[in-house]
C-alpha cells in the first residue's frame, strides 16, 4: 500500500534522506536509488508517494518512491543560468568583434569543460563514498577560466550549490577571474596575450626543429 509523505531531510551529496508521512507517524529512511522514474534530484520539501518497508535491522525504509509534483526552478537558479548565457554570449561576440583575442573564449570553453567533468566526478564520488576531489582543486579550476563550467555543473548536477562556505569561495574566484578578464580588454592586457601567444608559437617551432 502506497503512502504519501514529504522529504523533511535530504543530504544530496550522500544521496539519502528521510521522509515524514503526511498523516503523521514514524519517519522512513530513503536512498536515491529508491526513486523510480526520477527526472531530477530530490530536495527538502518535495511531496512523494512511497511503499513502506523494513530493512534487515528493523528500520523503516521507503521503496519505489515517486515525486508527486515537479518542483519549479528557483529564481536564483534561473538568474544564474541567464547570467551564464549572457556572459558566454558577451565573450563570443567580443572575440568576433576582435575586442579580445580568440584564444580567450577557447580557453573558457576548454577549462569550463574540464571543470564540469571534475564536478561530475566529485558528485559521483560523493554518492558512492569514493575519494573526493578537494574543494581547492575545484576553485583553482574555476579561477583559471573554468567558472562557467563550474556554474553549469552546480545548476545541472545540483552539486556544491547549497554549501555556503563553498559558494562564498566560488564567488570570489568568479570576481577575481572577471577582474583579470577586464584587464585583458585593455591595451596592456592585449599586448600580454599576444606576447604569450608569440612565445608559445616560437617555443613550438623550436621543438619541431
Amino acid at each position: 500500500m502506497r503512502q504519501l509523505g514529504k522529504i523533511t531531510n535530504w543530504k544530496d551529496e550522500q544521496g539519502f534522506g528521510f521522509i515524514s508521512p503526511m498523516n503523521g507517524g514514524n519517519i522512513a529512511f530513503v536512498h536515491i536509488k529508491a526513486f523510480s522514474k526520477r527526472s531530477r534530484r530530490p530536495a527538502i520539501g518535495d511531496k512523494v508517494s512511497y511503499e513502506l518497508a523494513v530493512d534487515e535491522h528493523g528500520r523503516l525504509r521507503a521503496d519505489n518512491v515517486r515525486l508527486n509534483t515537479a518542483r519549479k526552478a528557483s529564481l536564483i537558479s534561473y538568474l544564474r543560468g541567464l547570467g551564464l548565457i549572457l556572459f558566454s554570449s558577451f565573450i563570443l561576440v567580443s572575440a568576433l568583434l576582435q575586442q579580445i583575442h580568440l584564444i580567450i573564449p577557447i580557453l573558457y570553453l576548454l577549462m569550463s569543460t574540464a571543470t564540469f567533468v571534475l564536478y561530475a566526478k566529485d558528485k559521483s564520488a560523493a554518492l558512492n563514498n569514493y575519494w573526493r576531489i578537494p574543494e581547492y582543486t575545484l576553485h583553482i579550476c574555476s579561477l583559471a577560466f573554468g567558472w562557467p563550467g563550474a556554474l553549469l555543473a552546480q545548476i545541472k548536477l545540483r552539486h556544491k550549490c547549497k554549501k555556503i562556505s563553498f559558494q562564498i569561495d566560488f564567488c570570489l574566484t568568479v570576481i577575481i577571474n572577471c577582474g583579470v578578464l577586464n584587464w585583458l580588454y585593455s591595451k596592456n592586457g592585449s599586448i600580454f596575450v599576444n606576447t604569450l601567444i608569440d612565445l608559445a608559437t616560437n617555443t613550438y617551432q623550436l621543438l619541431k626543429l
Side-chain angles (χ1 to χ4, degrees), residues 118-182:
L118 287 179
Y119 268 75
K121 288 185 176 181
D122 188 57
K123 179 75 171 185
S124 177
L127 295 178
N128 295 283
N129 293 321
Y130 294 155
W131 188 264
R132 301 288 301 278
I133 296 175
E135 289 187 352
Y136 67 81
T137 299
L138 299 178
H139 288 317
I140 290 175
C141 290
S142 296
L143 183 62
F145 297 90
W147 70 262
L151 184 58
L152 182 62
Q154 292 175 23
I155 296 173
K156 293 296 183 181
L157 304 179
R158 294 178 59 82
H159 187 50
K160 295 292 187 181
C161 55
K162 295 182 179 180
K163 187 176 180 180
I164 297 178
S165 60
F166 183 91
Q167 284 298 307
I168 292 175
D169 291 338
F170 172 70
C171 288
L172 289 176
T173 65
V174 175
I175 293 173
I176 295 173
N177 180 265
C178 288
V180 173
L181 177 63
N182 182 64

Side-chain angles (χ1 to χ4, degrees), residues 8-38:
T8 52
N9 185 291
W10 182 256
K11 298 183 181 297
D12 195 58
E13 293 187 359
Q14 287 76 31
F16 70 85
F18 294 91
I19 297 175
S20 297
M22 288 295 191
N23 297 325
N26 295 326
I27 62 175
F29 174 84
V30 60
H31 192 272
I32 186 66
K33 295 181 179 179
F35 286 83
S36 59
K37 299 179 180 180
R38 177 169 53 87

